[in-house]
Amino acid sequence: MSRYPSQEIPVRLPSTRASQNTIHPVDSTPLRPCASPSHSPIVYHEVKHFKKWFPWLIPSFVVANTIVFIVTMYVNDCPKYTLSCVAPFLGRFSFQPFKENPLLGPSSTTLEKMGALDVNKVVHGHQGWRLISCIWLHGGVFHILANMLSLLIIGIRMEQEFGFVKVGLLYIISGFGGSLLSALFVRLSISVGASGALFGLLGGMLSELIINWTIYTNKVASFLLLVVTIVVNLAIGILPHVDNFAHIGGFLSGFLLGFVLLIRPQFGWVSQRYMPQGYSLESVKPKFKTYQFILWIISLILLIVGFTVVLVMLFRGVNGNDHCSWCHYLSCVPTSRWSCQTQPSYCVSNQLGNQLNLTCQSNGKSSIYYLSNITESQIQGLCTELCN
């Protein structure tokens, strides 16, 4: 809360950041009383442009993601298709072997069945809905815990400040943008997770700080802290089996969208809107500064053009790697400790009675299994385990 001298407007302003970065009235305009101002008690007004919203959408997103994960594990039914499940006491909710999925989660086959991002199915199978459905799926317990904790920490504060409509649009559109860039560059594997949407929220926080620069104190420290957080998280994305293209696409979408959705009116304009009777302004303040208008227009144009271009390229079957020979390093940098190759699992099978012989084509490993009434799904699960 900021309190003014008696000749200025008393208003109550909730902080839009942490307590160390409260709104600063740098543009407040002096007011002078008219001929006979009444000496009424001071009344504090809640400024609607900076009011606190009750956060319900972000917790709902967390619940929805959790429910989808539980349903995915139910559909996965590891004991039915795999011999060595992790935590078998969980029954059909047990996890795939660590070699197949180190995140404690379902098989890639199940994720694909539930709506994972598969570029071939999107482009050639006319399943564009996967660009949205994939952001509600997660690869395992570790994956969903990390994402949902981050969503609660980041998302609740943003929803309190800007409301469920703006934050909801920012989350969904950023997730969609992350899926688009991922589909353009990741061709040989599926992709799941809310990371693109989360990076969109981070991008929105950064652009909101820039476009509303004049209303914050400690702005430089906040800017540097936010940039370092984003850079560190993007750097983690160069590890194998992490879809950093979804992170980058989500961040860029959220960054541009933040300039459009999260713009704040300048403090002087808010002050004059809540001016009590009996006071007049010496000068009238415009609602937004010139740089805010410019950033709003440029960002909206870039957002529309960018989404249009990527969508056209994607559905024409364009492989982004063909036009950018170094872009694959943005998602994974190979070292002596790990490889960035993510080849699908293919096996040669030979079945004689209850005996099944499998040979993985990618690593040459062979194994013999003794099973009755084996299904194609079981063979694929065993093949994936053998090739990893």
Side-chain angles (χ1 to χ4, degrees):
M1 180 181 71
S2 299
R3 181 166 291 194
Y4 284 69
S6 59
Q7 72 269 22
E8 295 188 14
I9 308 170
V11 295
R12 188 181 301 277
L13 293 173
S15 171
T16 64
R17 290 283 176 204
S19 59
Q20 295 85 355
N21 195 25
T22 54
I23 295 176
H24 181 62
V26 294
D27 292 323
S28 59
T29 304
L31 304 174
R32 52 187 176 83
C34 294
S36 300
S38 59
H39 297 282
S40 57
I42 293 177
V43 178
Y44 287 92
H45 302 279
E46 179 80 9
V47 178
K48 68 177 182 179
H49 303 283
F50 299 97
K51 73 177 183 179
K52 289 286 187 181
W53 298 74
F54 177 77
W56 62 268
L57 184 64
I58 293 300
S60 299
F61 282 169
V62 172
V63 172
N65 277 276
T66 304
I67 292 175
V68 170
F69 181 73
I70 293 173
V71 172
T72 302
M73 293 306 304
Y74 180 85
V75 173
N76 185 65
D77 195 4
C78 180
K80 184 177 179 180
Y81 305 108
T82 308
L83 297 179
S84 55
C85 300
V86 178
F89 59 88
L90 294 175
R92 67 183 300 152
F93 292 98
S94 57
F95 310 109
Q96 295 299 119
F98 276 112
K99 284 187 176 181
E100 182 182 349
N101 188 343
L103 299 175
L104 287 181
S107 67
S108 58
T109 303
T110 300
L111 289 171
E112 189 172 0
K113 184 189 302 182
M114 294 293 294
L117 179 58
D118 184 334
V119 66
N120 290 320
K121 293 185 181 297
V122 170
V123 177
H124 304 296
H126 307 290
Q127 298 179 10
W129 50 269
R130 290 179 178 271
L131 293 168
I132 294 294
S133 63
C134 67
I135 68 177
W136 304 97
L137 294 168
H138 288 83
V141 173
F142 298 142
H143 190 197
I144 192 172
L145 279 177
N147 277 353
M148 292 305 100
L149 286 174
S150 301
L151 178 58
L152 287 172
I153 294 171
I154 300 171
I156 285 182
R157 178 175 291 276
M158 292 191 71
E159 187 177 351
Q160 286 176 332
E161 295 176 13
F162 299 102
F164 70 94
V165 174
K166 292 181 178 181
V167 173
L169 287 173
L170 184 63
Y171 183 89
I172 299 297
I173 296 175
S174 297
F176 178 69
S179 298
L180 281 180
L181 197 65
S182 176
L184 196 62
F185 286 95
V186 180
R187 316 294 290 193
L188 298 177
S189 61
I190 62 173
S191 179
V192 295
S195 301
L198 286 171
F199 271 84
L201 295 182
L202 286 174
M205 289 177 64
L206 182 60
S207 56
E208 188 271 328
L209 179 61
I210 295 172
I211 199 169
N212 302 320
W213 187 258
T214 58
I215 69 174
Y216 291 116
T217 58
N218 300 329
K219 57 193 73 175
V220 175
S222 299
F223 177 80
L224 292 177
L225 178 62
L226 193 53
V227 169
V228 169
T229 302
I230 293 168
V231 170
V232 169
N233 280 276
L234 287 175
I236 294 174
I238 65 175
L239 296 173
H241 309 299
V242 178
D243 186 1
N244 211 29
F245 285 112
H247 298 172
I248 296 171
F251 171 77
L252 292 176
S253 301
F255 181 70
L256 293 175
L257 199 60
F259 287 119
V260 178
L261 293 178
L262 307 183
I263 185 173
R264 296 274 204 187
Q266 59 171 313
F267 194 89
W269 181 86
V270 174
S271 298
Q272 67 193 23
R273 290 274 295 181
Y274 293 88
M275 180 179 64
Q277 293 183 354
Y279 287 84
S280 62
L281 287 169
E282 293 182 352
S283 62
V284 178
K285 287 283 187 179
K287 186 174 184 179
F288 300 109
K289 289 184 175 291
T290 303
Y291 83 91
Q292 289 179 301
F293 273 119
I294 294 173
L295 287 174
W296 190 92
I297 294 172
I298 292 175
S299 299
L300 184 61
I301 293 173
L302 289 176
L303 192 67
I304 294 173
V305 171
F307 271 57
T308 303
V309 169
V310 175
L311 277 169
V312 170
M313 291 177 65
L314 176 62
F315 285 100
R316 284 187 175 181
V318 175
N319 187 339
N321 299 289
D322 295 338
H323 302 274
C324 181
S325 59
W326 55 268
C327 283
H328 61 279
Y329 291 115
L330 294 175
S331 187
C332 182
V333 177
T335 68
S336 58
R337 293 183 176 271
W338 64 70
S339 172
C340 293
Q341 298 298 322
T342 55
Q343 298 296 331
S345 302
Y346 293 111
C347 294
V348 175
S349 63
N350 183 17
Q351 188 172 0
L352 181 61
N354 292 337
Q355 179 178 314
L356 174 68
N357 299 320
L358 279 184
T359 301
C360 178
Q361 290 184 318
S362 59
N363 58 23
K365 291 182 179 179
S366 297
S367 185
I368 300 175
Y369 305 91
Y370 294 93
L371 299 169
S372 59
N373 300 322
I374 191 166
T375 63
E376 288 295 328
S377 298
Q378 286 178 309
I379 294 176
Q380 182 59 44
L382 293 172
C383 175
T384 304
E385 185 179 351
L386 185 63
C387 291
N388 288 313

